[in-house]
Amino acid sequence: MSSYLLNDVCEFSELDRYHHCYNSFNPEANSRLNPSSSPEYVVFRTFLGGICFLKSGEDSIIFDKNYYLIEPQNQFLDSTYLWAEVGNILAPLMLDEQKFLNSFRGRYLENKKFYESFLLEISYSIAASKNERYVESFLHIYRGLEHMSYALPLMYLKRSDGYKKTYEAFKSFFGDDNSQSEMGFGKKFIRSIMDSNIYSANVKMDFSEHPEQHYNALKKIFKSDSDFNFNDDLKQVETIFGRVFDLVVKVRNMYFHHLYSKNYSLDGREIVLPNKFFEVFVDIGMCFLANFYFIIFSSKYE
């Protein structure tokens, strides 16, 4: 059976069991999902797309976007196949197919619980997005970010060579603040090890077809932040990809933590259509999760 079942609740399967334009996406026997697939491999495939997701009690959904690609217009899989997509992503690592597959084998139990939990968050987010439940999708992105903000830096440091190098890197992520939160730890981690070209890539958010309050709400949060540029005429916001971490965290905190007395909140007068508002952040948030995870994957080959 060409599928992976998680907790008897979620099934991830190859697309040839469905009539779909991607049903020839992965015909290779060695790379197909199966009951003994590494959870990390299923995470990789979920971000890559080209699989079917079935959650108990819901209709099946095709994951048809490659979230490793930052440009939204290039994310959809179109007349492609697995190894073409993998090749584009892994080109800097110069891995052939066998080396790529070997990177997941023999590691089935390594951090298994983490990858299973993380897999649920990202798959639930994509599924909610496909069903146009964007508030729900955004919350799963935030929960996925929480998972990575502490666990993935530890995994990365574990692979570093030499105790002194690992210890010094670990201290630098925490800085001098002993009360540093896990999310703060994750923020330092991103800036330290994300590729500078990816970190500084431009991302754009378009509020031109939104109620004006939505654009003003984001401006309220980031108006004094030089990494966020606001075009009042077009109702568009540009920032750098590395700041998507802060974008997700601050939007979540200001909407779901209503600290009115501190003027640190967004309420129903500002977010008048919550589902439409949070739709703006779903794709770029998922792209950020994919590229954050990819740092850890590629660290095995540094």
Side-chain angles (χ1 to χ4, degrees):
M1 182 179 180
S2 188
S3 66
Y4 172 83
L5 187 64
L6 178 57
N7 296 341
D8 295 322
V9 174
C10 299
E11 182 184 26
F12 302 80
S13 60
E14 303 291 345
L15 287 171
D16 55 2
R17 59 184 287 190
Y18 298 92
H19 298 292
H20 196 274
C21 61
Y22 305 129
N23 60 3
S24 298
F25 183 75
N26 183 25
E28 303 296 330
N30 290 338
S31 55
R32 294 171 71 77
L33 298 175
N34 62 71
S36 61
S37 291
S38 161
E40 184 185 0
Y41 180 62
V42 188
V43 166
F44 190 98
R45 291 290 306 276
T46 298
F47 281 131
L48 185 75
I51 60 176
C52 180
F53 174 72
L54 179 61
K55 181 182 178 183
S56 178
E58 298 188 2
D59 294 334
S60 62
I61 292 173
I62 305 300
F63 290 174
D64 55 3
K65 287 186 178 182
N66 181 348
Y67 287 106
Y68 295 108
L69 304 178
I70 296 173
E71 292 293 332
Q73 62 267 29
N74 295 327
Q75 286 174 356
F76 278 103
L77 303 174
D78 184 19
S79 301
T80 187
Y81 59 97
L82 174 67
W83 294 115
E85 297 297 316
V86 171
N88 288 336
I89 297 166
L90 300 181
L93 300 179
M94 295 183 291
L95 298 179
D96 59 24
E97 296 178 15
Q98 195 56 54
K99 287 182 179 179
F100 168 69
L101 292 174
N102 286 344
S103 68
F104 300 104
R105 290 173 180 161
R107 303 176 59 239
Y108 182 78
L109 296 177
E110 185 174 295
N111 301 308
K112 179 184 176 184
K113 295 291 186 182
F114 166 77
Y115 282 113
E116 287 180 339
S117 182
F118 183 54
L119 176 59
L120 289 176
E121 298 299 342
I122 61 175
S123 58
Y124 286 176
S125 179
I126 297 172
S129 174
K130 296 285 283 185
N131 285 307
E132 299 183 351
R133 303 193 305 263
Y134 299 114
V135 176
E136 178 185 337
S137 179
F138 177 87
L139 286 174
H140 284 296
I141 287 172
Y142 179 84
R143 284 170 59 87
L145 199 59
E146 283 186 319
H147 276 66
M148 288 194 300
S149 290
Y150 199 81
L152 288 185
L154 296 177
M155 294 178 197
Y156 177 84
L157 292 170
K158 187 180 74 173
R159 296 188 176 109
S160 297
D161 291 330
Y163 171 79
K164 181 173 175 28
K165 177 181 176 181
T166 302
Y167 179 70
E168 293 301 325
F170 192 83
K171 286 201 305 181
S172 72
F173 292 142
F174 276 111
D176 297 325
D177 185 0
N178 293 328
S179 63
Q180 180 81 279
S181 68
E182 292 181 6
M183 298 299 270
F185 183 22
K187 180 178 177 179
K188 286 178 176 290
F189 176 70
I190 294 161
R191 185 178 291 275
S192 298
I193 69 170
M194 181 174 276
D195 178 88
S196 59
N197 291 323
I198 296 176
Y199 188 91
S200 61
N202 270 350
V203 292
K204 182 182 295 184
M205 292 161 280
D206 188 355
F207 291 90
S208 60
E209 297 183 5
H210 285 240
E212 186 172 358
Q213 293 97 316
H214 290 180
Y215 173 80
N216 291 335
L218 203 65
K219 197 171 184 179
K220 173 182 177 179
I221 304 173
F222 294 105
K223 62 182 178 181
S224 60
D225 192 320
S226 61
D227 283 338
F228 286 78
N229 298 309
F230 294 86
N231 187 319
D232 293 340
D233 294 327
L234 298 178
K235 295 295 184 289
Q236 292 179 345
V237 184
E238 288 190 9
T239 188
I240 55 177
F241 185 69
R243 295 299 308 280
V244 172
F245 185 103
D246 303 89
L247 176 70
V248 171
V249 171
K250 289 188 177 181
V251 168
R252 178 263 186 187
N253 288 345
M254 288 196 71
Y255 186 73
F256 294 98
H257 285 179
H258 192 72
L259 302 177
Y260 189 81
S261 62
K262 297 182 179 180
N263 195 30
Y264 187 77
S265 65
L266 297 171
D267 61 24
R269 292 168 296 183
E270 295 164 298
I271 311 302
V272 296
L273 298 173
N275 205 50
K276 189 172 182 64
F277 177 72
F278 284 99
E279 180 183 4
V280 173
F281 312 112
V282 166
D283 268 6
I284 58 175
M286 189 57 63
C287 287
F288 189 82
L289 286 177
N291 282 275
F292 197 175
Y293 156 73
F294 192 68
I295 293 171
I296 305 305
F297 175 83
S298 59
S299 72
K300 291 179 286 186
Y301 301 98
E302 293 178 351

